[in-house]
Amino acid sequence: MSPERRSDNATFTGNRALMLEEPLIFEIGSLDTTGVDFADAPKTASRLGGLDRNRDIGLPGLSEPEAVRHYTRLSRQNYAIDLGLFPLGSCTMKHNPRLNERMARLPGFADIHPLQPVDTVQGAFEVIHQLAHWLVTLTGMHSVAMSPKAGAHGELCGILCIKAALEARGEDRRVILVPESAHGTNPATAAFAGFAVEDIPATPDGRVDVDALKARLGPDVAGVMITNPNTCGLFERELKTISDAVHAAGGYVYCDGANFNAIVGRVRPGDLGVDAMHINLHKTFSTPHGGGGPGSGPVVLSQALAPYAPLPFVEKRGDGFALVEEETAEEHHAATFGRMVSFHGQMGMFTRALTYILSHGADGLKQVAEDSVLNANYVLRALEDVLDAPFAKSGPCMHEAIFSDKGLPEGFSTLDIAKGLIDEGYHPMTVYFPLVVHGAMLVEPTETESKAALDQFIGAFRSVAERAKAGDQALKSAPHFAPRRRLDETQAARKPVLVWKEPAQAEAAE
């Protein structure tokens, strides 16, 4: 059959127009060739001390154009915030201003080394010190530990501060309370630090059951880890009441600040009785987010926990800045629990975040929160007639809108909606989280999306939901227009294939 008459529209290359079918790099080049011509190496005595390679390296030989094209074609299969709205709930995938990228690439920040003499990095130390000042100001806290490198790393920092404070008091409290509406990393962090974790239920409106929490407080409770706004997209209105009760019982309050974007400039966690809170600079304050990093999770601390903060930290002395490390900590920071990282934190993240804060100003940061909340409520109200919104009557949502699979026909699931969105040209929203909502679909549009962009996303989301409600079976096999069709995600998680084998080896293994 001639190509123009093929009913399946298949192509010789496997490509579909500009949607390219990209093989593995091992399938492009040959293992016994190289992309560069070398003269035969002279026969000389080895200087490798017996560490000479004694077998083939196992990498394909590609020319430079082949290698560049391979990775460029792969990059075109990625979805990114620079391509369109990224609706991942609880992730704050917003546009990162290019000004911040430019500042982070200045040689005085990008090219420094953490082992340079202190007097050669005074500008970098001033950036860290200024950023620390504004983080403390924005949160109403006493001090901040800048070195933690991610949100969960910041959680661990805060919990270790709590642990050190309890040890200093001579108290052996072993229980951390974690509400159902908290982030999933919270119980993992508490357990990793050696605490037992107990759940606190949520009320029907999606907030912490304050009575249940108060009833569980006692001499064995070290504290509570609470997320505010929580993962149901709701502000915990009783947080001050919760904090007062926990403090009266001798415990501490850790707040997960991953959702700070919804309240920055509007609410100071310190005013709500929080003792420790991490701030994801790579969410609220503009840093490239995703792909495994880089991240940064400074932890703001109350006066009660500040003495136990980790090393190192930058301190202003006279006209310059100094780094307080182990050698000098005994002078005025002897109670520190130790060190979290090898050096001082993520310099690029600090530079971007400070640039973001200074360029927005107090009024701009307040508008960030207001616009992110406005956009989320716009999505919620635009879709609540076609998708179940379990907390739509709990008051305005904050930075994210949550929907459930309730009302979908039998046989259709949240996963089908998510895969259908891929065909519409969007990365799916966060699915099946939080666990308090069955078949959860968590959407965070952020403040950087225009009404036109939101309307297009809402239209796509509505279209997919209506197809599911109409019983469109094609949705069960979506996506149809992606480089890969739907995968068996259970098998991929339980039996991942992570190592490439030559076809002959693969057949022999089977």
Side-chain angles (χ1 to χ4, degrees):
M1 182 181 295
S2 62
E4 63 271 13
R5 296 182 59 191
R6 293 174 65 167
S7 59
D8 59 0
N9 293 321
T11 60
F12 173 78
T13 59
N15 301 337
R16 288 183 288 174
L18 297 179
M19 185 182 294
L20 306 180
E21 178 68 17
E22 184 63 14
L24 298 176
I25 196 168
F26 297 98
E27 299 169 324
I28 300 173
S30 169
L31 298 179
D32 55 3
T33 62
T34 177
V36 181
D37 291 330
F38 289 106
D40 291 337
K43 301 292 184 180
T44 59
S46 172
R47 295 181 293 173
L48 298 178
L51 298 178
D52 308 52
R53 180 165 55 84
N54 55 23
R55 57 186 176 84
D56 291 338
I57 195 171
L59 295 176
L62 272 66
S63 66
E64 181 175 302
E66 289 175 318
V68 169
R69 287 170 181 168
H70 171 68
Y71 288 106
T72 301
R73 289 193 294 259
L74 286 179
S75 73
R76 293 176 60 183
Q77 295 184 5
N78 288 336
Y79 191 84
I81 194 66
D82 289 344
L83 292 174
L85 187 152
F86 217 128
L88 278 174
S90 199
C91 284
T92 315
M93 304 290 279
K94 63 183 181 181
H95 172 71
N96 299 292
R98 291 303 180 262
L99 170 65
N100 307 353
E101 299 299 316
R102 184 176 180 183
M103 295 301 101
R105 285 164 171 75
L106 290 173
F109 300 131
D111 297 341
I112 59 175
H113 192 281
L115 294 179
Q116 282 183 228
V118 169
D119 60 355
T120 68
V121 290
Q122 287 293 298
F125 281 1
E126 184 172 3
V127 165
I128 298 173
H129 190 265
Q130 277 196 32
L131 176 59
H133 164 75
W134 289 118
L135 294 179
V136 167
T137 300
L138 286 166
T139 57
M141 302 290 273
H142 181 271
S143 62
V144 59
M146 297 296 292
S147 60
K149 292 192 173 183
H153 203 214
E155 290 176 26
L156 181 61
C157 174
I159 291 300
L160 291 178
C161 286
I162 291 173
K163 192 173 186 178
L166 291 172
E167 290 174 353
R169 283 163 37 181
E171 297 184 20
D172 186 26
R173 295 172 175 248
R174 296 298 185 94
V175 176
I176 292 286
L177 306 180
V178 181
E180 290 179 348
S181 57
H183 274 146
T185 50
N186 292 177
T189 296
F192 185 80
F195 290 98
V197 178
E198 294 187 17
D199 293 335
I200 298 297
T203 60
D205 73 349
R207 295 180 173 88
V208 176
D209 188 325
V210 179
D211 291 336
L213 186 145
K214 287 182 176 179
R216 179 58 190 86
L217 292 174
D220 61 335
V221 174
V224 60
M225 294 185 78
I226 189 168
T227 301
N228 194 30
N230 67 30
T231 53
C232 297
L234 302 171
F235 188 76
E236 294 287 355
R237 296 178 295 215
E238 302 297 321
L239 182 53
K240 185 63 169 66
T241 300
I242 291 170
S243 297
D244 290 344
V246 173
H247 291 155
Y252 294 96
V253 177
Y254 185 92
C255 181
D256 186 311
N259 297 336
F260 191 49
N261 197 68
I263 60 173
V264 61
R266 292 281 299 181
V267 178
R268 301 195 313 172
D271 297 337
L272 304 178
V274 170
D275 290 296
M277 184 182 86
H278 78 267
I279 303 171
N280 297 75
L281 297 186
H282 52 280
K283 290 187 178 184
T284 304
F285 298 112
S286 169
T287 293
H289 184 141
S296 185
V299 179
V300 287
L301 299 165
S302 66
Q303 189 169 1
L305 293 184
Y308 310 100
L311 301 170
F313 61 89
V314 173
E315 182 178 71
K316 186 169 177 55
R317 293 182 183 173
D319 295 331
F321 298 88
L323 197 66
V324 178
E325 299 191 82
E326 285 83 350
E327 294 81 4
T328 55
E330 289 298 326
E331 298 174 7
H332 58 295
H333 199 63
T336 175
F337 72 73
R339 177 180 283 264
M340 301 255 347
V341 297
S342 298
F343 295 111
H344 323 317
Q346 299 278 30
M347 191 65 225
M349 313 306 105
F350 298 155
T351 309
R352 291 180 178 91
L354 182 60
T355 305
Y356 187 88
I357 290 172
L358 295 180
S359 61
H360 277 72
D363 57 339
L365 291 176
K366 182 171 176 281
Q367 187 176 348
V368 163
E370 293 173 347
D371 287 353
S372 67
V373 170
L374 176 64
N375 283 354
N377 280 276
Y378 183 61
V379 171
L380 176 67
R381 299 307 172 190
L383 291 170
E384 63 180 336
D385 65 321
V386 69
L387 285 169
D388 175 62
F391 304 121
K393 296 182 180 179
S394 298
C397 67
M398 296 301 290
H399 58 302
E400 56 196 358
I402 191 166
F403 305 96
S404 81
D405 61 358
K406 182 180 178 181
L408 295 182
E410 184 176 354
F412 287 85
S413 67
T414 289
L415 191 65
D416 298 324
I417 303 292
K419 300 301 184 183
L421 269 178
I422 295 176
D423 276 341
E424 295 288 345
Y426 290 100
H427 190 289
M429 59 283 164
T430 296
V431 296
Y432 300 111
F433 177 81
L435 299 179
V436 293
V437 174
H438 192 276
M441 293 173 258
L442 192 59
V443 178
E444 182 178 1
T446 81
E447 76 283 355
T448 56
E449 299 302 333
S450 66
K451 182 177 182 298
L454 292 177
D455 286 339
Q456 185 180 47
F457 172 73
I458 290 167
F461 205 156
R462 172 177 289 277
S463 172
V464 174
E466 289 174 344
R467 287 175 58 197
K469 288 197 165 186
D472 185 352
Q473 293 299 310
L475 203 57
K476 300 292 296 177
S477 55
H480 300 278
F481 308 131
R484 289 288 179 274
R485 299 291 289 274
R486 187 179 301 201
L487 305 178
D488 186 330
E489 297 186 12
T490 301
Q491 285 292 92
R494 294 180 179 175
K495 297 181 179 180
V497 179
L498 304 177
V499 179
W500 178 82
K501 295 180 180 178
E502 293 187 72
Q505 293 178 329
E507 291 176 7
E510 293 174 359

